């Protein structure tokens, strides 16, 4: 027990120090965390989070991701995108579909993967998510319009990508195990129940807060408890539905007529601080958990070419086609076309699906984790290093916040 406490404390400390060093030297925080995790884990073998955390490893990461996603969705107010709703909708529907299909075909014909792991990964690779997007937006200080597009896309496609992967996996089970379609219909009901439960709890909480039925000092605690209940109950109904449920809960609270600005500000300040801690800790845990063999597996040319095509062809194609005739400038579309880092959700969910597909006897399932790892590491590195200089070059940054400047000096 003591060893676990000390080990976990060190993981949290390394995550916090990574954020601090990144801020001090104006380095991408998400990249600093990735490098730190790889160094202490697969490179030097100083800490093994799987061994340290034991049976709590997977539940801890799952709950952390749920809280991060809720914190992100709590910042999604429809009024901030009045002129862009149509185009965000196209980005998370048309753009996601184009990305899903083209990524899957690339993995089949370039990566030489079996169709089931290829289409499952194609679904998961549409995910960007707040765990990687929000740290980049905080670092780059982007203008509101392009920042809102990237933020809304990242938070909405996080659960959609996981559910799309789950849907593809269900099709695989129907095909390989001769399961009837009716045995998989609960998937759709589970999604509906998760959304309904998230909306119900979110509406109940924000109404209680708005009517002053809960004292101010208990609001964040009650919200925190509500997120955990919504996520765990939805996951009990079906795996990965919890992400959809907490997103619906956050959106409901952010846009309810009972959500006074003062109440939402209080909740967001607390959740943002928790989110920063969780992002840094979870990223360290995941990257430190990688094995040296998984890094070696990346040195496979078909896999590297597939990753390159997804980064340099699929993303620009999906964004440009989905944002045709939008009011966004060429510069804004160019930046959105480039920025799409993959992160925690892609890595955690891939492990679950790889295990399921392996049980069907498909050998290519063992390539899923190395492929995902490669895409996560390369996208985080490339986008983390380039978002700020590219935004400056395109004239898409805001005037520097004086508070940040004074604090840094």
């Amino acid at each position: 027990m003591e060893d676990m406490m000390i080990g976990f404390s060190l993981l949290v400390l390394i995550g916090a120090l990574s954020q601090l060093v990144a801020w001090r030297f104006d380095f991408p925080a998400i990249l600093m965390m990735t490098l730190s995790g790889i160094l202490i884990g697969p490179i030097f073998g100083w800490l093994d989070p799987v061994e340290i955390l034991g049976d709590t490893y997977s539940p801890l990461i799952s709950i952390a991701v749920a809280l991060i996603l809720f914190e992100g969705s709590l910042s999604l107010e429809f009024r901030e995108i009045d002129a862009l709703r149509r185009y965000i909708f196209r980005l998370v529907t048309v753009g996601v579909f184009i990305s899903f299909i083209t990524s899957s075909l690339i993995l089949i014909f370039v990566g030489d993967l079996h169709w089931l792991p290829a289409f499952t990964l194609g679904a998961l690779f549409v995910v960007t998510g707040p765990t990687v997007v929000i740290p980049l937006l905080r670092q780059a200080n982007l203008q509101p319009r392009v920042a809102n597009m990237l933020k809304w896309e990242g938070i909405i496609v996080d659960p959609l990508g996981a559910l799309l992967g789950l849907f593809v996996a269900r099709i695989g089970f129907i095909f390989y195990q001769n399961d009837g379609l009716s045995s998989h219909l609960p998937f759709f009901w589970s999604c509906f129940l998760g959304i309904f439960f998230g909306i119900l709890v979110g509406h109940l909480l924000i109404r209680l807060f708005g009517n002053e039925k809960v004292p101010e000092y208990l609001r964040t605690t009650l919200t925190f408890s509500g997120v955990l209940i919504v996520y765990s109950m939805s996951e009990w109904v079906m795996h990965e539905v919890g992400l959809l449920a907490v997103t619906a809960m956050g959106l409901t609270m952010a846009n309810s007529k009972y959500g006074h600005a003062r109440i939402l500000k209080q909740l967001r300040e607390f959740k943002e601080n928790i989110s920063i801690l969780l992002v840094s800790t979870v990223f360290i845990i995941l990257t430190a958990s990688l094995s040296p063999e998984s890094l070696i597996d990346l040195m496979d040319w078909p896999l590297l070419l597939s990753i390159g095509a997804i980064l340099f062809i699929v993303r620009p194609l999906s964004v440009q086609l989905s944002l045709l005739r939008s009011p966004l400038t060429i510069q804004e579309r160019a930046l959105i076309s480039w920025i799409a880092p993959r992160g925690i959700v892609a890595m955690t969910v891939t492990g679950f699906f790889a295990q399921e597909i392996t049980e069907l006897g498909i050998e290519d399932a063992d390539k899923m984790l190395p492929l995902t790892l490669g895409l996560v590491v390369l996208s985080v590195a490339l986008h983390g290093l380039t978002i700020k200089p590219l935004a400056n070059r395109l004239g898409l940054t805001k005037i520097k916040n004086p508070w940040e400047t004074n604090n840094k000096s």
Side-chain angles (χ1 to χ4, degrees):
M1 176 64 72
E2 288 78 10
D3 289 344
M4 185 183 78
M5 291 173 61
I6 293 172
F8 181 70
S9 299
L10 287 173
L11 291 169
V12 174
L13 177 62
I14 292 169
L17 290 176
S18 299
Q19 293 262 18
L20 179 60
V21 172
W23 170 82
R24 181 65 184 84
F25 295 99
D26 198 22
F27 193 72
I30 200 74
L31 181 56
M32 190 71 220
M33 291 183 284
T34 303
L35 293 173
S36 300
I38 290 175
L39 286 174
I40 66 172
I43 301 297
F44 295 112
W46 292 334
L47 291 173
D48 183 356
V50 177
E51 183 179 337
I52 291 169
L53 300 175
D55 294 338
T56 64
Y57 177 86
S58 292
L60 180 67
I61 291 177
S62 297
I63 289 173
V65 171
L67 289 169
I68 294 166
L69 193 55
F70 171 76
E71 188 273 328
S73 61
L74 194 63
S75 68
L76 299 182
E77 295 186 54
F78 290 121
R79 61 180 178 81
E80 71 183 9
I81 58 160
D82 284 338
L84 297 173
R85 289 192 195 187
R86 176 184 174 188
Y87 305 103
I88 290 175
F89 178 77
R90 280 165 48 178
L91 195 59
V92 300
T93 53
V94 176
V96 162
F97 179 75
I98 294 171
S99 178
F100 165 53
I101 296 299
T102 52
S103 295
S104 302
L105 294 177
I106 285 170
L107 291 172
I108 292 173
F109 295 107
V110 179
D112 196 27
L113 283 187
H114 182 277
W115 71 266
L116 183 54
F119 274 91
T120 304
L121 285 179
L124 296 179
F125 287 172
V126 306
V127 170
T128 53
T131 59
V132 283
V133 169
I134 290 177
L136 290 186
L137 297 181
R138 188 180 294 116
Q139 165 206 344
N141 197 34
L142 297 176
Q143 291 178 1
R145 191 157 70 167
V146 66
N148 286 335
M149 290 288 292
L150 288 169
K151 180 180 72 172
W152 275 78
E153 180 203 15
I155 293 170
I156 292 174
V157 299
D158 225 25
L160 288 184
L163 290 172
L164 185 57
L166 186 62
F167 179 69
V168 173
R170 295 303 113 199
I171 293 175
F173 274 91
I174 293 172
F175 186 82
Y176 280 96
Q177 295 187 336
N178 295 318
D179 289 348
L181 180 61
S182 60
S183 65
H184 294 273
L185 287 179
F187 167 80
F188 300 101
W189 285 110
S190 299
C191 294
F192 173 78
L193 285 174
I195 293 173
F196 176 77
F197 190 34
I199 292 174
L200 180 65
V201 173
H203 179 74
L204 176 63
L205 286 177
I206 203 67
R207 186 159 189 173
L208 288 173
F209 298 163
N211 292 334
E212 303 295 334
K213 300 294 185 182
V214 178
E216 189 171 315
Y217 73 92
L218 278 179
R219 287 171 185 165
T220 52
T221 302
L222 196 58
T223 303
F224 185 88
S225 304
V227 174
L228 296 182
I229 288 295
V230 167
Y231 178 75
S232 57
M233 291 295 290
S234 300
E235 285 290 292
W236 176 72
V237 173
M238 180 168 282
H239 192 62
E240 301 307 332
V241 173
L243 296 179
L244 189 64
V246 296
T247 302
M249 179 180 171
L251 273 167
T252 300
M253 296 182 73
N255 295 281
S256 171
K257 63 180 180 180
Y258 300 100
H260 303 317
R262 178 175 55 83
I263 295 173
L264 291 174
K265 182 181 179 182
Q266 180 191 16
L267 293 176
R268 286 167 184 160
E269 286 176 351
F270 173 77
K271 293 296 181 182
E272 184 177 4
N273 292 331
I274 293 294
S275 178
I276 292 172
L277 174 66
L278 291 175
V279 167
S280 56
T281 302
V282 172
F283 233 91
I284 294 294
I285 289 174
L286 283 175
T287 50
S289 303
L290 301 172
S291 65
E293 291 76 19
S294 62
L295 297 181
I296 296 173
D297 288 340
L298 287 176
M299 301 298 105
D300 181 70
W301 279 110
L303 299 189
L304 289 175
L305 288 174
S306 300
I307 293 170
I310 291 170
L311 288 173
F312 293 99
I313 298 175
V314 173
R315 174 63 178 181
L317 179 67
S318 64
V319 170
Q320 293 297 329
L321 290 178
S322 60
L323 295 181
L324 280 174
R325 298 181 181 178
S326 73
L328 296 170
T329 65
I330 294 175
Q331 290 84 354
E332 288 171 327
R333 278 181 280 172
L335 185 64
I336 295 171
S337 295
W338 172 235
I339 302 301
R342 277 66 169 190
I344 292 172
V345 171
M347 290 180 66
T348 55
V349 178
T350 297
F352 169 75
F353 288 129
Q355 183 178 355
E356 281 205 335
I357 293 174
T358 298
E359 292 173 359
L360 294 176
I362 299 172
E363 294 182 0
D364 282 349
D366 61 1
K367 296 180 182 179
M368 293 177 68
L369 277 173
L371 252 169
T372 306
L373 169 63
L375 183 61
V376 168
V377 172
L378 287 176
S379 65
V380 164
L382 291 173
H383 299 154
L385 289 172
T386 59
I387 185 170
K388 195 170 183 178
L390 182 59
N392 285 329
R393 184 70 180 268
L394 295 174
L396 298 176
T397 53
K398 295 186 295 185
I399 297 173
K400 188 70 174 178
N401 188 331
W403 185 90
E404 293 180 0
T405 305
N406 294 335
N407 275 271
K408 187 167 181 176
S409 59

